Amino acid sequence: MSFVEAIARKRDGLPLERDDIRRFVGGATRGDLPVEQLAAMLMAICCRGMSAEETSWLTDDMLRSGEAWDLAASHPTVVDKHSTGGVGDTVSLVLAPLLAAVGVPVAMMAGRGLGHTQGTIDKLEAIPGFDCDRDRAGLDRLLELAGAAIIAQTADIAPADRRLYALRDVTASVPSLPLIVGSIMSKKLALGAATLVLDVKWGRGAFRTTVAEAHELAAALRRVARDAGVACEALITDMNQPLGSALGTASEVRAAVAVLQGEGDESLREVSLRLAEQAMVLRGADPAAARSSLERVLAAGDAMAAWIRMVEAHGGDPDPDRLARPSRTVEVVAERAGFLTGVAATDLGRVAVTAGAGRSRLDEPLDFAGGVRVHCRLGDRVERGQPLATLELGERPVDETALCSRIGAAFELGDDPPATLPALVLGTVDEVDPGARPHP
Ligand code: URA
């Protein structure tokens, strides 16, 4: 069967054969399938989904498209963490030094921006000198120096994901359960840490918008991890509004540093603590003791010291004053008084991407100064003329008026406060009822 016929099968809702998936992943890895066929298959998978069996073949082939590092063999206590993606989600930058400060080593292989979200690697590269490109020996050295490392996917780790990830980003084929599972788990299993915590986002700024969809994804990710012998837990967390107030690259580094200095966004701090606690519990700690030691290192400045060690080990300059700042800012104000009842978080993420924090073409350079700063949270009372958000601009040319009106439209104001507010952390896969509707 030709690959075009395989695309047609998926388009028509028929399952792919084992060999179709092998050719798809092999074609992405070796470059011997044309980009239009890869893109068409991605879109067909996105629209039609995959069975658990197809998803497991996809993950397996993506994992086997490159090297496996088996970190657990040399560093059995190392923890890895991954988020399914959201906006204002700077948790990795807080969590890595936080865990390192309590003596739990962390190694993450992170990604660049995807869809409307801002990527961890893009944020770290906003730090002057920070080098995320490390091979296996380089990762060992970072762990030795700092006990925490966040590196970019190397050319040899899950190369199929590298290719497909970039292609999904520019073809609107990101929000698909099997594609997300294949992408995340191929990298996680290739790195091979023995312990993995997952932050699975649900809501308007996430790739899975309902609790049921997020629960399905969390369960699928955890199943693949546990089947591979990895101690894994997934927390389902809220993404109905940006997690932190900064959406961008340099600005999100500043937001993480603020939390590590004992200030900053409360929601970002809390989700980071909960995930770090979960990681320690997976490694055998008592939950209350884990939480109190994490809070202690945060308050004592040890987590901030661990951040500085991590940044310096990566070759970066930890001085936050060296981070890019916007050359122009434009405030977007409320046109009426009311309560904030909804936030189109995906739209805010897209504005941040357009302002410089992401790409519309594979080769587009980022503008580290660009992004959005959000000034209110769901349920807040705002007065007419009060700033809702600020558009932050660097050198990338943009249609400022269009971006501002998009920001304004993302904030929904009503006469009454929302009846309920979504919980920041819903819980683990087993704790969450997938049928619950916590935020209609
Ligand atoms: N993170 C990834 O690495 N891949 C996805 O598809 C989504 C989030």
Side-chain angles (χ1 to χ4, degrees):
M1 206 200 316
S2 76
F3 195 69
V4 177
E5 287 169 279
I7 297 170
R9 283 174 66 83
K10 188 40 78 183
R11 178 201 62 202
D12 296 340
L14 297 170
L16 294 173
E17 311 262 324
R18 183 74 193 87
D19 204 45
D20 297 331
I21 293 177
R22 232 174 241 136
R23 282 168 66 200
F24 173 53
V25 174
T29 313
R30 294 184 300 269
D32 56 15
L33 279 177
V35 69
E36 57 273 19
Q37 290 189 356
L38 294 174
M41 181 59 100
L42 285 171
M43 187 53 79
I45 294 172
C46 197
C47 296
R48 291 298 195 166
M50 277 181 151
S51 66
E53 186 175 48
E54 288 173 287
T55 307
S56 126
W57 289 336
L58 177 73
T59 308
D60 203 45
D61 287 350
M62 287 173 73
L63 162 65
R64 286 169 201 279
S65 68
E67 288 179 356
W69 284 3
D70 194 9
L71 205 54
S74 55
H75 298 81
T77 56
V78 164
V79 167
D80 188 3
K81 174 262 173 190
H82 206 88
S83 159
T84 56
V87 287
D89 174 10
T90 323
V91 168
S92 294
L93 273 53
V94 178
L95 178 133
L98 193 52
L99 280 173
V102 292
V104 175
V106 179
M108 289 182 219
M109 189 168 279
R112 298 187 183 279
L114 189 63
H116 63 282
T117 69
Q118 287 71 58
T120 298
I121 296 301
D122 293 333
K123 295 170 202 176
L124 290 171
E125 286 183 349
I127 300 172
F130 198 107
D131 182 5
C132 297
D133 293 324
R134 300 298 160 118
D135 58 12
R136 175 64 211 268
L139 174 61
D140 288 349
R141 180 90 186 114
L142 289 172
L143 284 170
E144 212 175 279
L145 286 172
I150 307 181
I151 64 170
Q153 203 171 343
T154 70
D156 301 322
I157 289 278
D161 175 59
R162 253 169 96 92
R163 179 87 174 106
L164 294 175
Y165 191 94
L167 204 50
R168 286 164 65 210
D169 189 29
V170 292
T171 56
S173 53
V174 174
S176 148
L177 184 142
L179 295 179
I180 296 175
V181 171
S183 168
I184 293 180
M185 291 315 301
S186 59
K187 289 188 287 262
K188 301 291 105 182
L189 298 181
L191 185 66
T195 309
L196 172 64
V197 276
L198 296 167
D199 184 4
V200 179
K201 307 281 191 196
W202 82 276
R204 294 176 69 181
F207 294 125
R208 311 288 287 172
T209 51
T210 65
V211 171
E213 285 174 351
H215 189 272
E216 188 191 14
L217 176 60
L221 289 164
R222 198 180 66 167
R223 187 168 49 245
V224 173
R226 290 187 176 179
D227 284 353
V230 176
C232 174
E233 191 50 272
L235 283 187
I236 299 172
T237 68
D238 180 52
M239 188 37 69
N240 284 288
Q241 61 184 330
L243 179 60
S245 53
L247 280 63
T249 50
S251 63
E252 291 202 36
V253 175
R254 261 190 227 101
V257 168
V259 170
L260 291 166
Q261 288 174 328
E263 299 151 13
D265 296 306
E266 184 45 44
S267 50
L268 177 59
R269 172 190 147 90
E270 181 57 23
V271 173
S272 304
L273 281 166
R274 290 288 295 273
L275 282 159
E277 178 191 318
Q278 200 61 56
M280 292 175 74
V281 168
L282 279 170
R283 295 227 43 80
D286 165 71
R291 175 80 188 208
S292 76
S293 51
L294 289 163
E295 286 187 355
R296 199 169 47 246
V297 293
L298 208 45
D302 299 344
M304 184 61 200
W307 162 261
I308 293 173
R309 274 197 301 281
M310 179 178 87
V311 172
E312 286 179 343
H314 274 271
D317 184 340
D319 179 358
D321 289 342
R322 296 280 321 280
L323 292 163
R325 285 201 179 269
S327 51
R328 251 176 72 62
T329 59
V330 192
E331 268 185 2
V332 178
V333 300
E335 285 176 1
R336 53 159 287 185
F339 291 93
L340 188 61
T341 53
V343 183
T346 301
D347 288 346
L348 292 178
R350 287 208 188 96
V351 172
V353 165
T354 309
R359 310 167 178 79
S360 56
R361 295 185 323 267
L362 288 177
D363 57 350
E364 188 172 28
L366 298 188
D367 185 332
F368 294 133
V372 176
R373 183 160 300 276
V374 177
H375 304 303
C376 47
R377 294 193 66 76
L378 283 175
D380 283 357
R381 166 86 194 167
V382 291
E383 301 306 327
R384 185 160 183 259
Q386 186 177 323
L388 296 169
T390 302
L391 174 63
E392 300 182 325
L393 298 170
E395 303 310 316
R396 187 188 276 184
V398 294
D399 180 344
E400 201 177 294
T401 313
L403 290 187
C404 286
S405 70
R406 207 154 174 198
I407 292 176
F411 291 88
E412 294 155 14
L413 296 172
D415 294 332
D416 301 309
T420 55
L421 288 176
L424 193 56
V425 178
L426 274 184
T428 63
V429 176
D430 298 329
E431 286 162 357
V432 172
D433 170 6
R437 295 182 191 281
H439 190 60

PDB file of all heavy atoms in Angstrom, residues 205-238:
ATOM      1  N   GLY A 205      -6.771  27.176  28.028  1.00  0.00           N
ATOM      2  CA  GLY A 205      -5.425  27.449  27.532  1.00  0.00           C
ATOM      3  C   GLY A 205      -4.618  26.188  27.318  1.00  0.00           C
ATOM      4  O   GLY A 205      -3.420  26.239  27.064  1.00  0.00           O
ATOM      5  N   ALA A 206      -5.281  25.034  27.448  1.00  0.00           N
ATOM      6  CA  ALA A 206      -4.570  23.751  27.333  1.00  0.00           C
ATOM      7  C   ALA A 206      -4.909  23.091  26.001  1.00  0.00           C
ATOM      8  O   ALA A 206      -5.851  23.493  25.317  1.00  0.00           O
ATOM      9  CB  ALA A 206      -4.986  22.840  28.489  1.00  0.00           C
ATOM     10  N   PHE A 207      -4.155  22.047  25.660  1.00  0.00           N
ATOM     11  CA  PHE A 207      -4.478  21.304  24.441  1.00  0.00           C
ATOM     12  C   PHE A 207      -5.657  20.368  24.670  1.00  0.00           C
ATOM     13  O   PHE A 207      -6.235  19.858  23.723  1.00  0.00           O
ATOM     14  CB  PHE A 207      -3.252  20.512  23.962  1.00  0.00           C
ATOM     15  CG  PHE A 207      -2.118  21.403  23.521  1.00  0.00           C
ATOM     16  CD1 PHE A 207      -0.858  21.279  24.058  1.00  0.00           C
ATOM     17  CD2 PHE A 207      -2.330  22.387  22.560  1.00  0.00           C
ATOM     18  CE1 PHE A 207       0.180  22.108  23.660  1.00  0.00           C
ATOM     19  CE2 PHE A 207      -1.302  23.231  22.153  1.00  0.00           C
ATOM     20  CZ  PHE A 207      -0.054  23.082  22.707  1.00  0.00           C
ATOM     21  N   ARG A 208      -5.988  20.102  25.933  1.00  0.00           N
ATOM     22  CA  ARG A 208      -7.164  19.290  26.271  1.00  0.00           C
ATOM     23  C   ARG A 208      -8.065  20.203  27.089  1.00  0.00           C
ATOM     24  O   ARG A 208      -7.674  20.632  28.176  1.00  0.00           O
ATOM     25  CB  ARG A 208      -6.758  18.063  27.082  1.00  0.00           C
ATOM     26  CG  ARG A 208      -5.605  17.279  26.486  1.00  0.00           C
ATOM     27  CD  ARG A 208      -5.961  16.521  25.250  1.00  0.00           C
ATOM     28  NE  ARG A 208      -6.785  15.369  25.518  1.00  0.00           N
ATOM     29  CZ  ARG A 208      -7.353  14.632  24.563  1.00  0.00           C
ATOM     30  NH1 ARG A 208      -7.229  14.963  23.291  1.00  0.00           N
ATOM     31  NH2 ARG A 208      -8.070  13.586  24.868  1.00  0.00           N
ATOM     32  N   THR A 209      -9.240  20.504  26.588  1.00  0.00           N
ATOM     33  CA  THR A 209     -10.016  21.578  27.216  1.00  0.00           C
ATOM     34  C   THR A 209     -10.932  21.114  28.347  1.00  0.00           C
ATOM     35  O   THR A 209     -11.259  21.904  29.215  1.00  0.00           O
ATOM     36  CB  THR A 209     -10.824  22.352  26.157  1.00  0.00           C
ATOM     37  OG1 THR A 209     -11.548  21.402  25.397  1.00  0.00           O
ATOM     38  CG2 THR A 209      -9.916  23.154  25.257  1.00  0.00           C
ATOM     39  N   THR A 210     -11.351  19.864  28.362  1.00  0.00           N
ATOM     40  CA  THR A 210     -12.227  19.422  29.449  1.00  0.00           C
ATOM     41  C   THR A 210     -11.447  18.550  30.444  1.00  0.00           C
ATOM     42  O   THR A 210     -10.390  17.988  30.106  1.00  0.00           O
ATOM     43  CB  THR A 210     -13.404  18.580  28.921  1.00  0.00           C
ATOM     44  OG1 THR A 210     -12.870  17.374  28.362  1.00  0.00           O
ATOM     45  CG2 THR A 210     -14.200  19.314  27.853  1.00  0.00           C
ATOM     46  N   VAL A 211     -12.025  18.423  31.639  1.00  0.00           N
ATOM     47  CA  VAL A 211     -11.406  17.554  32.645  1.00  0.00           C
ATOM     48  C   VAL A 211     -11.349  16.122  32.110  1.00  0.00           C
ATOM     49  O   VAL A 211     -10.341  15.414  32.279  1.00  0.00           O
ATOM     50  CB  VAL A 211     -12.197  17.605  33.972  1.00  0.00           C
ATOM     51  CG1 VAL A 211     -11.689  16.552  34.948  1.00  0.00           C
ATOM     52  CG2 VAL A 211     -12.099  18.980  34.601  1.00  0.00           C
ATOM     53  N   ALA A 212     -12.428  15.706  31.444  1.00  0.00           N
ATOM     54  CA  ALA A 212     -12.470  14.331  30.936  1.00  0.00           C
ATOM     55  C   ALA A 212     -11.341  14.094  29.930  1.00  0.00           C
ATOM     56  O   ALA A 212     -10.669  13.051  29.967  1.00  0.00           O
ATOM     57  CB  ALA A 212     -13.826  14.061  30.293  1.00  0.00           C
ATOM     58  N   GLU A 213     -11.115  15.072  29.033  1.00  0.00           N
ATOM     59  CA  GLU A 213     -10.039  14.915  28.034  1.00  0.00           C
ATOM     60  C   GLU A 213      -8.667  14.887  28.702  1.00  0.00           C
ATOM     61  O   GLU A 213      -7.793  14.108  28.322  1.00  0.00           O
ATOM     62  CB  GLU A 213     -10.065  16.076  27.041  1.00  0.00           C
ATOM     63  CG  GLU A 213     -11.174  15.998  26.016  1.00  0.00           C
ATOM     64  CD  GLU A 213     -11.224  17.258  25.158  1.00  0.00           C
ATOM     65  OE1 GLU A 213     -10.518  18.235  25.459  1.00  0.00           O
ATOM     66  OE2 GLU A 213     -11.994  17.255  24.193  1.00  0.00           O
ATOM     67  N   ALA A 214      -8.489  15.772  29.697  1.00  0.00           N
ATOM     68  CA  ALA A 214      -7.191  15.819  30.391  1.00  0.00           C
ATOM     69  C   ALA A 214      -6.974  14.518  31.170  1.00  0.00           C
ATOM     70  O   ALA A 214      -5.863  13.971  31.194  1.00  0.00           O
ATOM     71  CB  ALA A 214      -7.138  17.011  31.337  1.00  0.00           C
ATOM     72  N   HIS A 215      -8.040  14.023  31.770  1.00  0.00           N
ATOM     73  CA  HIS A 215      -7.937  12.786  32.544  1.00  0.00           C
ATOM     74  C   HIS A 215      -7.549  11.631  31.625  1.00  0.00           C
ATOM     75  O   HIS A 215      -6.688  10.803  31.966  1.00  0.00           O
ATOM     76  CB  HIS A 215      -9.279  12.511  33.233  1.00  0.00           C
ATOM     77  CG  HIS A 215      -9.202  11.384  34.208  1.00  0.00           C
ATOM     78  ND1 HIS A 215      -9.396  10.076  33.836  1.00  0.00           N
ATOM     79  CD2 HIS A 215      -8.930  11.369  35.538  1.00  0.00           C
ATOM     80  CE1 HIS A 215      -9.242   9.303  34.897  1.00  0.00           C
ATOM     81  NE2 HIS A 215      -8.957  10.064  35.931  1.00  0.00           N
ATOM     82  N   GLU A 216      -8.169  11.602  30.450  1.00  0.00           N
ATOM     83  CA  GLU A 216      -7.863  10.544  29.470  1.00  0.00           C
ATOM     84  C   GLU A 216      -6.383  10.615  29.074  1.00  0.00           C
ATOM     85  O   GLU A 216      -5.689   9.593  29.002  1.00  0.00           O
ATOM     86  CB  GLU A 216      -8.771  10.771  28.251  1.00  0.00           C
ATOM     87  CG  GLU A 216      -8.750   9.680  27.219  1.00  0.00           C
ATOM     88  CD  GLU A 216      -9.453  10.104  25.927  1.00  0.00           C
ATOM     89  OE1 GLU A 216      -9.718  11.308  25.730  1.00  0.00           O
ATOM     90  OE2 GLU A 216      -9.716   9.224  25.106  1.00  0.00           O
ATOM     91  N   LEU A 217      -5.899  11.852  28.849  1.00  0.00           N
ATOM     92  CA  LEU A 217      -4.495  12.016  28.473  1.00  0.00           C
ATOM     93  C   LEU A 217      -3.573  11.614  29.635  1.00  0.00           C
ATOM     94  O   LEU A 217      -2.583  10.898  29.439  1.00  0.00           O
ATOM     95  CB  LEU A 217      -4.231  13.480  28.063  1.00  0.00           C
ATOM     96  CG  LEU A 217      -2.786  13.840  27.740  1.00  0.00           C
ATOM     97  CD1 LEU A 217      -2.242  13.008  26.575  1.00  0.00           C
ATOM     98  CD2 LEU A 217      -2.653  15.335  27.405  1.00  0.00           C
ATOM     99  N   ALA A 218      -3.916  12.072  30.834  1.00  0.00           N
ATOM    100  CA  ALA A 218      -3.083  11.768  32.005  1.00  0.00           C
ATOM    101  C   ALA A 218      -2.996  10.253  32.203  1.00  0.00           C
ATOM    102  O   ALA A 218      -1.917   9.702  32.451  1.00  0.00           O
ATOM    103  CB  ALA A 218      -3.670  12.438  33.250  1.00  0.00           C
ATOM    104  N   ALA A 219      -4.139   9.587  32.073  1.00  0.00           N
ATOM    105  CA  ALA A 219      -4.153   8.134  32.274  1.00  0.00           C
ATOM    106  C   ALA A 219      -3.327   7.442  31.189  1.00  0.00           C
ATOM    107  O   ALA A 219      -2.582   6.490  31.475  1.00  0.00           O
ATOM    108  CB  ALA A 219      -5.593   7.635  32.267  1.00  0.00           C
ATOM    109  N   ALA A 220      -3.429   7.934  29.948  1.00  0.00           N
ATOM    110  CA  ALA A 220      -2.677   7.308  28.848  1.00  0.00           C
ATOM    111  C   ALA A 220      -1.172   7.500  29.046  1.00  0.00           C
ATOM    112  O   ALA A 220      -0.384   6.562  28.879  1.00  0.00           O
ATOM    113  CB  ALA A 220      -3.114   7.902  27.510  1.00  0.00           C
ATOM    114  N   LEU A 221      -0.775   8.712  29.437  1.00  0.00           N
ATOM    115  CA  LEU A 221       0.658   8.981  29.651  1.00  0.00           C
ATOM    116  C   LEU A 221       1.192   8.112  30.791  1.00  0.00           C
ATOM    117  O   LEU A 221       2.261   7.504  30.697  1.00  0.00           O
ATOM    118  CB  LEU A 221       0.867  10.462  29.983  1.00  0.00           C
ATOM    119  CG  LEU A 221       0.662  11.454  28.834  1.00  0.00           C
ATOM    120  CD1 LEU A 221       0.510  12.875  29.379  1.00  0.00           C
ATOM    121  CD2 LEU A 221       1.827  11.404  27.850  1.00  0.00           C
ATOM    122  N   ARG A 222       0.427   8.075  31.880  1.00  0.00           N
ATOM    123  CA  ARG A 222       0.883   7.322  33.049  1.00  0.00           C
ATOM    124  C   ARG A 222       0.966   5.828  32.727  1.00  0.00           C
ATOM    125  O   ARG A 222       1.887   5.138  33.163  1.00  0.00           O
ATOM    126  CB  ARG A 222      -0.071   7.591  34.222  1.00  0.00           C
ATOM    127  CG  ARG A 222       0.528   7.226  35.553  1.00  0.00           C
ATOM    128  CD  ARG A 222      -0.407   7.494  36.689  1.00  0.00           C
ATOM    129  NE  ARG A 222      -1.581   6.634  36.649  1.00  0.00           N
ATOM    130  CZ  ARG A 222      -2.437   6.505  37.667  1.00  0.00           C
ATOM    131  NH1 ARG A 222      -2.271   7.215  38.770  1.00  0.00           N
ATOM    132  NH2 ARG A 222      -3.474   5.706  37.578  1.00  0.00           N
ATOM    133  N   ARG A 223       0.000   5.352  31.928  1.00  0.00           N
ATOM    134  CA  ARG A 223       0.015   3.922  31.564  1.00  0.00           C
ATOM    135  C   ARG A 223       1.285   3.574  30.778  1.00  0.00           C
ATOM    136  O   ARG A 223       1.969   2.592  31.067  1.00  0.00           O
ATOM    137  CB  ARG A 223      -1.237   3.597  30.731  1.00  0.00           C
ATOM    138  CG  ARG A 223      -1.428   2.119  30.436  1.00  0.00           C
ATOM    139  CD  ARG A 223      -2.819   1.819  29.875  1.00  0.00           C
ATOM    140  NE  ARG A 223      -3.194   2.696  28.771  1.00  0.00           N
ATOM    141  CZ  ARG A 223      -4.202   3.563  28.822  1.00  0.00           C
ATOM    142  NH1 ARG A 223      -4.950   3.677  29.890  1.00  0.00           N
ATOM    143  NH2 ARG A 223      -4.481   4.315  27.763  1.00  0.00           N
ATOM    144  N   VAL A 224       1.604   4.428  29.784  1.00  0.00           N
ATOM    145  CA  VAL A 224       2.798   4.146  28.962  1.00  0.00           C
ATOM    146  C   VAL A 224       4.045   4.171  29.850  1.00  0.00           C
ATOM    147  O   VAL A 224       4.924   3.314  29.741  1.00  0.00           O
ATOM    148  CB  VAL A 224       2.921   5.174  27.801  1.00  0.00           C
ATOM    149  CG1 VAL A 224       4.233   5.002  27.051  1.00  0.00           C
ATOM    150  CG2 VAL A 224       1.746   5.044  26.843  1.00  0.00           C
ATOM    151  N   ALA A 225       4.103   5.163  30.762  1.00  0.00           N
ATOM    152  CA  ALA A 225       5.279   5.269  31.640  1.00  0.00           C
ATOM    153  C   ALA A 225       5.386   4.045  32.539  1.00  0.00           C
ATOM    154  O   ALA A 225       6.448   3.416  32.642  1.00  0.00           O
ATOM    155  CB  ALA A 225       5.188   6.535  32.481  1.00  0.00           C
ATOM    156  N   ARG A 226       4.280   3.692  33.185  1.00  0.00           N
ATOM    157  CA  ARG A 226       4.331   2.564  34.132  1.00  0.00           C
ATOM    158  C   ARG A 226       4.614   1.253  33.412  1.00  0.00           C
ATOM    159  O   ARG A 226       5.328   0.399  33.937  1.00  0.00           O
ATOM    160  CB  ARG A 226       3.035   2.507  34.937  1.00  0.00           C
ATOM    161  CG  ARG A 226       2.962   3.691  35.919  1.00  0.00           C
ATOM    162  CD  ARG A 226       1.780   3.564  36.846  1.00  0.00           C
ATOM    163  NE  ARG A 226       1.751   4.630  37.842  1.00  0.00           N
ATOM    164  CZ  ARG A 226       0.816   4.763  38.768  1.00  0.00           C
ATOM    165  NH1 ARG A 226      -0.182   3.900  38.836  1.00  0.00           N
ATOM    166  NH2 ARG A 226       0.855   5.752  39.636  1.00  0.00           N
ATOM    167  N   ASP A 227       4.054   1.097  32.190  1.00  0.00           N
ATOM    168  CA  ASP A 227       4.345  -0.119  31.411  1.00  0.00           C
ATOM    169  C   ASP A 227       5.837  -0.240  31.132  1.00  0.00           C
ATOM    170  O   ASP A 227       6.372  -1.337  30.973  1.00  0.00           O
ATOM    171  CB  ASP A 227       3.587  -0.115  30.070  1.00  0.00           C
ATOM    172  CG  ASP A 227       2.108  -0.437  30.257  1.00  0.00           C
ATOM    173  OD1 ASP A 227       1.716  -0.789  31.394  1.00  0.00           O
ATOM    174  OD2 ASP A 227       1.338  -0.304  29.280  1.00  0.00           O
ATOM    175  N   ALA A 228       6.503   0.923  31.055  1.00  0.00           N
ATOM    176  CA  ALA A 228       7.948   0.911  30.781  1.00  0.00           C
ATOM    177  C   ALA A 228       8.755   0.817  32.073  1.00  0.00           C
ATOM    178  O   ALA A 228       9.982   0.948  32.049  1.00  0.00           O
ATOM    179  CB  ALA A 228       8.327   2.159  29.994  1.00  0.00           C
ATOM    180  N   GLY A 229       8.069   0.669  33.217  1.00  0.00           N
ATOM    181  CA  GLY A 229       8.787   0.503  34.486  1.00  0.00           C
ATOM    182  C   GLY A 229       9.183   1.806  35.153  1.00  0.00           C
ATOM    183  O   GLY A 229      10.018   1.826  36.051  1.00  0.00           O
ATOM    184  N   VAL A 230       8.595   2.931  34.706  1.00  0.00           N
ATOM    185  CA  VAL A 230       8.927   4.237  35.286  1.00  0.00           C
ATOM    186  C   VAL A 230       7.921   4.547  36.399  1.00  0.00           C
ATOM    187  O   VAL A 230       6.717   4.360  36.222  1.00  0.00           O
ATOM    188  CB  VAL A 230       8.844   5.337  34.193  1.00  0.00           C
ATOM    189  CG1 VAL A 230       9.078   6.725  34.776  1.00  0.00           C
ATOM    190  CG2 VAL A 230       9.828   5.040  33.067  1.00  0.00           C
ATOM    191  N   ALA A 231       8.438   5.011  37.562  1.00  0.00           N
ATOM    192  CA  ALA A 231       7.532   5.445  38.636  1.00  0.00           C
ATOM    193  C   ALA A 231       6.966   6.790  38.207  1.00  0.00           C
ATOM    194  O   ALA A 231       7.704   7.775  38.088  1.00  0.00           O
ATOM    195  CB  ALA A 231       8.309   5.592  39.940  1.00  0.00           C
ATOM    196  N   CYS A 232       5.684   6.834  37.919  1.00  0.00           N
ATOM    197  CA  CYS A 232       5.111   8.041  37.312  1.00  0.00           C
ATOM    198  C   CYS A 232       3.800   8.424  37.971  1.00  0.00           C
ATOM    199  O   CYS A 232       2.975   7.566  38.267  1.00  0.00           O
ATOM    200  CB  CYS A 232       4.877   7.769  35.818  1.00  0.00           C
ATOM    201  SG  CYS A 232       4.008   9.093  34.976  1.00  0.00           S
ATOM    202  N   GLU A 233       3.629   9.720  38.208  1.00  0.00           N
ATOM    203  CA  GLU A 233       2.321  10.229  38.620  1.00  0.00           C
ATOM    204  C   GLU A 233       2.018  11.475  37.791  1.00  0.00           C
ATOM    205  O   GLU A 233       2.929  12.194  37.386  1.00  0.00           O
ATOM    206  CB  GLU A 233       2.307  10.559  40.127  1.00  0.00           C
ATOM    207  CG  GLU A 233       0.938  10.831  40.682  1.00  0.00           C
ATOM    208  CD  GLU A 233      -0.109   9.760  40.309  1.00  0.00           C
ATOM    209  OE1 GLU A 233      -0.740   9.904  39.226  1.00  0.00           O
ATOM    210  OE2 GLU A 233      -0.302   8.798  41.085  1.00  0.00           O
ATOM    211  N   ALA A 234       0.726  11.668  37.542  1.00  0.00           N
ATOM    212  CA  ALA A 234       0.300  12.845  36.777  1.00  0.00           C
ATOM    213  C   ALA A 234      -0.651  13.658  37.635  1.00  0.00           C
ATOM    214  O   ALA A 234      -1.594  13.104  38.210  1.00  0.00           O
ATOM    215  CB  ALA A 234      -0.398  12.392  35.494  1.00  0.00           C
ATOM    216  N   LEU A 235      -0.397  14.960  37.738  1.00  0.00           N
ATOM    217  CA  LEU A 235      -1.350  15.853  38.398  1.00  0.00           C
ATOM    218  C   LEU A 235      -2.140  16.572  37.309  1.00  0.00           C
ATOM    219  O   LEU A 235      -1.555  17.050  36.328  1.00  0.00           O
ATOM    220  CB  LEU A 235      -0.623  16.906  39.235  1.00  0.00           C
ATOM    221  CG  LEU A 235      -0.042  16.495  40.580  1.00  0.00           C
ATOM    222  CD1 LEU A 235       0.480  17.728  41.323  1.00  0.00           C
ATOM    223  CD2 LEU A 235      -1.080  15.780  41.452  1.00  0.00           C
ATOM    224  N   ILE A 236      -3.448  16.652  37.511  1.00  0.00           N
ATOM    225  CA  ILE A 236      -4.280  17.387  36.556  1.00  0.00           C
ATOM    226  C   ILE A 236      -4.476  18.796  37.118  1.00  0.00           C
ATOM    227  O   ILE A 236      -4.947  18.956  38.255  1.00  0.00           O
ATOM    228  CB  ILE A 236      -5.613  16.651  36.334  1.00  0.00           C
ATOM    229  CG1 ILE A 236      -5.317  15.266  35.755  1.00  0.00           C
ATOM    230  CG2 ILE A 236      -6.525  17.447  35.389  1.00  0.00           C
ATOM    231  CD1 ILE A 236      -6.506  14.351  35.646  1.00  0.00           C
ATOM    232  N   THR A 237      -4.030  19.802  36.374  1.00  0.00           N
ATOM    233  CA  THR A 237      -4.021  21.171  36.910  1.00  0.00           C
ATOM    234  C   THR A 237      -4.761  22.124  35.981  1.00  0.00           C
ATOM    235  O   THR A 237      -4.971  21.839  34.804  1.00  0.00           O
ATOM    236  CB  THR A 237      -2.579  21.667  37.154  1.00  0.00           C
ATOM    237  OG1 THR A 237      -1.924  21.837  35.901  1.00  0.00           O
ATOM    238  CG2 THR A 237      -1.779  20.710  38.020  1.00  0.00           C
ATOM    239  N   ASP A 238      -5.125  23.257  36.548  1.00  0.00           N
ATOM    240  CA  ASP A 238      -5.989  24.207  35.843  1.00  0.00           C
ATOM    241  C   ASP A 238      -5.246  25.048  34.805  1.00  0.00           C
ATOM    242  O   ASP A 238      -4.194  25.610  35.095  1.00  0.00           O
ATOM    243  CB  ASP A 238      -6.610  25.150  36.880  1.00  0.00           C
ATOM    244  CG  ASP A 238      -7.520  26.166  36.200  1.00  0.00           C
ATOM    245  OD1 ASP A 238      -8.393  25.733  35.426  1.00  0.00           O
ATOM    246  OD2 ASP A 238      -7.338  27.376  36.415  1.00  0.00           O
TER     247      ASP A 238
END
